[in-house]
Amino acid sequence: MYDTGVAARDESVGERVTVEGPWLAARKELPARDDSRHMVGESPTMRRLHSLVRRVAPFDSTVLVTGESGAGKELVARLIHECSPRRGRPFVAINCGAIPADLLESELFGHEKGAFTGAIAARKGRFEMAEGGTLLLDEIGDMGFAMQVKLLRVLQERCFERVGGTRSIPCDVRIIAATHCDLEQAIADGKFREDLYYRLNVFPVRLPPLRERPGDVPLLIGEINRRLGARGMHGAQFSADALRALSAYPWPGNVRELSNLVERMAILYGGQPVTLDELPQKYRTSGRAAVPAPLPTPVPAATVPVRGPEAAASPAAEPTGETVIDLHGYLAGIEQDLIRHAMDATGGVVAQAARQLGIRRTTLVEKLRRYGM
């Protein structure tokens, strides 16, 4: 325990935390900044993420950022760097999965002149480039097994040698690793070293996929439009139906996919509102259940389909020759479709589905029971 410390309240999580002396001193050195400008989101998962970033940023602890491709892992790493005492030093990123295994060692540690064919001059690696700052090892799960051994040695000894060199070079860098892989499963499959995993997993940070925070979609669209405006483009505006459809879409490409769509719609429609029918087909399909369908053409009562257990229990309508609509059964069918879509979009989590539908959780539970869903 440090000699001095004060108590502070973390408003984002509503809990009391102990802030120790050196930690507080580091925080006082940091400039006030709007984190939302970098990581947009007001959902509970994003609030927790903001809290984790603020807690770990002042320290040099190794951070392991996990999340799906396109979710913004590099953005999280940059924010940690910018909120740390190393913010005035370089932030260097390298994608370990995009560089061939035989070149990755040179990219990380550099090489001496004549170390291999084509090495006509000595060259610094990413560790030297990031000296005093932060090095992001992106997609660390795709790194080859042999390279993992060399990286582990550097993390343990905090020094390295250039390819073809004999001089040991000390390094002072903060390591942030990121991956979309399940590293524990990779360890079980013999593809990732367990000792390296525990070296990297000092402070784990999980970045939630966009489908787990649909309420952040409008906020993200606003931020993307702001960036488009900085490039001299008109932002994309969406109708209420289109926005509901985008919020219901599962976003396999995460924020990157959303950014690409917004820019495409901005180019096609400029400042004109984009309607549901103007969205690409796959986005329209996800929102159809959220938009009430037109009423069907009236048919003779004797042939009207009955939907829902309540309708089935009601007395059968006698044919009168008039054209009628079974409104009760029709509305029950729409309600079942909406509930089914919300449950699918939230992975079957009743509380989240209830929020998406705008009803109480207990109400949704009762409807699920009533419809046998």
Side-chain angles (χ1 to χ4, degrees), residues 31 118 183 186 220 240 244 320:
L183 293 185
L220 286 165
R244 282 196 293 270
T320 62

Side-chain angles (χ1 to χ4, degrees), residues 74 78 91-95 126 130 134-138:
E74 182 171 343
R78 287 185 180 275
F91 175 89
V92 178
I94 181 171
N95 190 320
R126 304 301 173 94
T134 302
L135 176 63
L136 169 63
L137 301 173
D138 200 7

Side-chain angles (χ1 to χ4, degrees), residues 149-168:
V149 178
K150 297 177 180 180
L151 177 61
L152 177 63
R153 176 178 175 274
V154 175
L155 296 180
Q156 290 173 337
E157 301 180 9
R158 291 292 171 176
C159 63
F160 61 92
E161 296 175 0
R162 289 180 180 176
V163 177
T166 57
R167 181 172 62 93
S168 182

Side-chain angles (χ1 to χ4, degrees), residues 323-340:
T323 55
V324 297
I325 296 173
D326 179 13
L327 183 61
H328 189 280
Y330 176 74
L331 294 178
I334 291 178
E335 186 173 51
Q336 291 179 64
D337 289 341
L338 289 171
I339 292 173
R340 187 176 296 107

Side-chain angles (χ1 to χ4, degrees), residues 294-306:
L295 288 172
T297 303
V299 295
T303 61
V304 172
V306 178

Side-chain angles (χ1 to χ4, degrees), residues 150-220:
K150 297 177 180 180
L151 177 61
L152 177 63
R153 176 178 175 274
V154 175
L155 296 180
Q156 290 173 337
E157 301 180 9
R158 291 292 171 176
C159 63
F160 61 92
E161 296 175 0
R162 289 180 180 176
V163 177
T166 57
R167 181 172 62 93
S168 182
I169 303 174
C171 63
D172 174 24
V173 296
R174 180 186 194 158
I175 300 295
I176 299 179
T179 182
H180 70 282
C181 301
D182 182 345
L183 293 185
E184 292 186 351
Q185 183 60 48
I187 293 171
D189 295 339
K191 297 179 180 179
F192 201 84
R193 291 183 61 94
E194 187 174 18
D195 47 3
L196 177 58
Y197 171 72
Y198 288 115
R199 279 283 177 179
L200 297 173
N201 196 37
V202 177
F203 194 90
V205 174
R206 177 183 177 270
L207 183 57
L210 187 51
R211 65 177 175 275
E212 290 185 8
R213 49 189 186 105
D216 288 339
V217 169
L219 297 175
L220 286 165

